[in-house]
Every structure is written in C-alpha cells, then in structure tokens.
Amino acid sequence: MTGVYVHLPFCDRICPYCDFAVVEFKQRRVRRYLAALRAEIDRAEPPASLVGSIFVGGGTPSALAADEVAELLAAIFEKFDIAPGSVECTLEANPSRGDSGRLRAYREAGVNRLSVGVQSFEDAELHRLGRDHDARAAKDYIATARSAGHENLSLDLIAGAPGQSLESFDRSLRAALGCAPDHVSVYGLTIEPGTPYAAWHARDSAAFPDDDAVAELLDRARAVLSQARYRHYEISNFARSGRECVHNLGYWRQGDCIAFGMSAAGYSDGTRYRNHRDFERYCAAIESEVSPRSESERLDRGARIGEAAMLALRTCEGIDDGDFRRRFGIDAAAAFRAARQKFAGTGLLEVDKIGVRLTDRGRLVANTICAEFLTPEMETVSSP
C-alpha cells in the first residue's frame, strides 16, 4: 500500500541538536503554509494502490491548533477517499502541549497513533537537550492522552545526550516502561554540522558520550525493552505485538510514499523525490503553481535492488531471498555474495536458508554493513 507523509515544520523552540527542516512558530507563517499544503494536496495525482498510512511529522505538528490539524487531515481523507480510522494515522506530538481537549480533538479528527517526543525522563538531560518539558510533564501528557482515548502511543528516546550515563539512561528506559507505551523508538544522537551541538562538540567533545558509550546505551535499550516483551523489529524501533508502525514498515519495504510539505521526501515506483527545504521557496513555488520539488531521481535496477537490501537489513527479518526472487527475479545470495563474505565469521550477520539479517552486534554498526549491500553484483542478476 501507499503511505502519505505530511511535514509541519513549526516549533515553539528549535532544539540545539536538530537538523530537520523547521521554522519558528508564527501564526502568519502557519496560515500561509497550510494554504500551500492544501494546494499541493489538491493537485496531487491519486496513487495506483490504496493508501495504508498517514504520518504527520515535523517540526512539532502538535504546535498547531487542533482545528488546523483536523482541517489538514480532512483534506487528505477527502483527496484519497479514505475514511478516518481505516488507516494508521500518526501525529508527532510534544509533551509541552497536552490538554485533554486538544488530545480528544486529534482523535476525533482521525489520529489513531501518537508519537510523543519525550527524548529523556531525566530533567537535567532534557534541559541540555533544549526541550521545553520536564519528566513530570511527559508522564502527565501520556496519561492525559490515554484518558482522551488514544490507544496507540509511541515514545521517542535519545541515546547519547550530553552528560548521559548508562545509569541515567536506564532510569529513562524504566520510566518509559512505567508509562506502558505500545511502541518505543530509541535513536542514537547524531552531531549534525551547523547545529549548536556541533559547535559544543567541537569545543568539548568530552561532554558527549563517545561512540562506544552510545553503543552500550543502545545495547541496554535492546536488553531492557526485549525483556519487557517489546519486539526489536527495526534497528531503532521496538513494539508490542501488532503495534509496529505501519507507515515506517512501508519505508523499509520500499513501498511508495506521497510526500507533502517543505523538505518532504517521497518515493513512487522507483523515483525518489524531495521538496524544497526552504520555507519561502516551497511556499512561493506552490503559490506560483509550479512544482515544489527540488530534486528527483529515477533509480536504475541495480540501485533499486541495493536500496531494497539496505532497507531490509534494518528490519529483524533482513533480506529474505524468496522475497527478492519474487520482487526482482534475482538470486539474492549471489547478488550480495561479496558483502556476505566480507562479514562472514564476524558475528555481525546471521545467514540461513531463508536469507541474511543483522545480529544484535551487527545492528550497532548497521550503517557500515548496509553500505556494503548497496551495490549488488549485477552480472549475477537476471533480467526481471
């Protein structure tokens, strides 16, 4: 099925580690942007397959008024002829905006999955991360969301925050479990160039956990969450049975995704595209009735197969040889023979008659391993 992604870039404050396409919340910007979004949605071509998921990300989508979110979702439901509640509809939310009326309005508008950016349950870490909530506010938000009828809640946590220790991270994990979420995402902190954190790291790298320490934190997350019966179904994601994120599974299975908004990236039948990252350029393009896309790339056969392999390796199932034979008409074991041989005997890959997947150790160095699978040996690949 096809996914729909909508980018809402507004934030009450911009976190010092953030490199996403965000702008400071100002109501006049919101009005202009929502008008541009509506126009882009109205002009979109319907997908060939059914829409199976909607993901409203950012930024901080919950910075918008509940009626603005509701109007946006209504436009999407109308455009793609889908009934509210018939597809997974995720909204990213900040715990600092958590009144029950707003949360009920989201649910009534069709949101049936909340992704809550907690990041940590340690107040000192939250302060260093530039967040505008504390641990108590996060817990209260989750409780309020439950009482407002939200039955599918995901929490985000960061591993590698400045000053974070194994002990403090363990406390955050335990606090997260105490909130009984349906899904937990754990992301290793990346120091992005041009951010305030990059400048801080350049001045005092010792303030941040090093790569080995972050790997230890991520391994602790795996151990604690797995013991609590959350399935580690993707490198950064854990879920209770049946609560895996449908939208993100579509990404990892190389499914089509229609993207709306500044910097939003989509994929359609082998073509990858991205909209302008700059707020002014995106809005001006829509207002001038020209395409807001800043780039578009048609992947050749080898690139599609390599990307499919890289994405599959992020999941617990890994590369299923039978699936690749059905999708691409190839012998995956032959196409990726060199990559498989490179890591043979390292304990980073598990190989069997079904296919190949990362081990727990392999997930800690996934980027290095996945890069070796991006270029299949095309001389071994038969025509489709």
Side-chain angles (χ1 to χ4, degrees):
M1 292 189 289
T2 296
V4 173
Y5 175 77
V6 184
H7 188 74
L8 295 177
F10 305 102
C11 290
D12 294 314
R13 67 166 73 178
I14 298 174
C15 299
Y17 56 85
C18 179
D19 188 44
F20 294 138
V22 298
V23 294
E24 185 180 359
F25 180 94
K26 292 184 178 180
Q27 194 57 51
R28 68 178 183 276
R29 285 178 176 164
V30 172
R31 288 193 296 270
R32 183 184 182 194
Y33 187 80
L34 290 178
L37 263 184
R38 180 60 188 265
E40 187 183 12
I41 292 167
D42 287 345
R43 297 171 196 165
E45 292 291 330
S49 58
L50 296 174
V51 170
S53 65
I54 300 165
F55 196 105
V56 184
T60 310
S62 61
L64 271 65
D67 62 336
E68 292 170 327
V69 173
E71 289 173 10
L72 174 62
L73 290 176
I76 294 170
F77 293 140
E78 180 181 1
K79 174 67 182 182
F80 298 107
D81 192 24
I82 47 180
S86 65
V87 299
E88 178 190 88
C89 182
T90 300
L91 181 81
E92 289 186 335
N94 190 324
S96 63
R97 289 179 177 256
D99 61 276
S100 59
R102 179 188 293 256
L103 285 161
R104 281 195 300 271
Y106 292 156
R107 184 173 54 80
E108 291 165 0
V111 174
N112 54 25
R113 184 176 184 272
L114 278 179
S115 179
V116 187
V118 175
Q119 314 310 356
S120 173
F121 283 94
E122 294 283 300
D123 287 345
E125 290 174 7
L126 287 167
H127 176 72
R128 289 191 289 271
L129 286 166
R131 306 297 290 175
D132 58 357
H133 68 273
D134 57 19
R136 182 71 263 165
K139 293 175 182 177
D140 288 346
Y141 184 94
I142 294 161
T144 302
R146 291 292 193 198
S147 66
H150 288 280
E151 299 177 351
N152 192 357
L153 290 176
S154 177
L155 308 183
D156 286 357
L157 296 176
I158 286 178
Q164 192 173 56
S165 66
L166 189 61
E167 292 73 23
S168 69
F169 184 63
D170 191 72
R171 289 195 296 270
S172 278
L173 288 170
R174 304 294 176 181
L177 290 176
C179 296
D182 304 279
H183 186 284
V184 181
S185 297
V186 183
Y187 300 107
L189 179 71
T190 301
I191 306 298
E192 299 289 355
T195 62
Y197 262 27
W200 183 6
H201 190 269
R203 292 194 311 270
D204 182 17
S205 61
F208 297 78
D210 62 21
D211 289 346
D212 288 341
V214 172
E216 189 176 13
L217 297 173
L218 293 173
D219 196 50
R220 175 61 64 90
R222 178 197 58 77
V224 170
L225 293 171
S226 297
Q227 186 177 34
R229 298 191 175 182
Y230 287 80
R231 179 171 174 254
H232 193 185
Y233 72 101
E234 192 272 342
I235 287 174
S236 302
N237 291 277
F238 303 79
R240 288 178 167 172
S241 179
R243 292 300 197 185
E244 295 83 359
C245 179
V246 172
H247 188 82
N248 285 341
L249 283 173
Y251 285 142
W252 300 319
R253 291 170 180 165
Q254 209 178 37
D256 285 358
C257 181
I258 304 171
F260 298 110
M262 57 182 272
S263 87
Y267 183 85
S268 177
D269 191 29
T271 297
R272 185 192 299 121
Y273 64 87
R274 183 180 293 276
N275 284 347
H276 291 300
R277 179 182 174 94
D278 179 76
F279 178 90
E280 178 63 34
R281 289 191 69 185
Y282 168 77
C283 291
I286 296 292
E287 290 159 358
S288 301
E289 298 188 5
V290 299
S291 172
R293 295 185 184 181
S294 61
E295 57 189 82
S296 181
E297 177 188 11
R298 178 71 181 176
L299 302 182
D300 63 27
R301 179 167 160 75
R304 290 185 71 178
I305 293 170
E307 184 175 272
M310 179 272 292
L311 293 169
L313 282 172
R314 292 187 61 88
T315 69
C316 62
E317 291 86 1
I319 297 172
D320 182 318
D321 291 348
D323 176 57
F324 271 63
R325 187 174 297 110
R326 288 187 294 272
R327 289 170 62 189
F328 301 110
I330 69 167
D331 179 350
F336 301 108
R337 181 179 291 112
R340 289 167 60 152
Q341 289 177 345
K342 181 170 184 175
F343 296 105
T346 63
L348 302 176
L349 287 179
E350 176 185 338
V351 181
D352 57 23
K353 63 182 181 180
I354 296 174
V356 59
R357 65 205 60 84
L358 299 176
T359 63
D360 289 336
R361 283 183 54 213
R363 286 174 171 174
L364 298 176
V365 289
N367 289 343
T368 298
I369 299 172
C370 290
E372 297 295 327
F373 283 81
L374 277 172
T375 308
E377 299 172 57
M378 291 304 293
E379 65 273 12
T380 70
V381 175
S382 62
S383 297

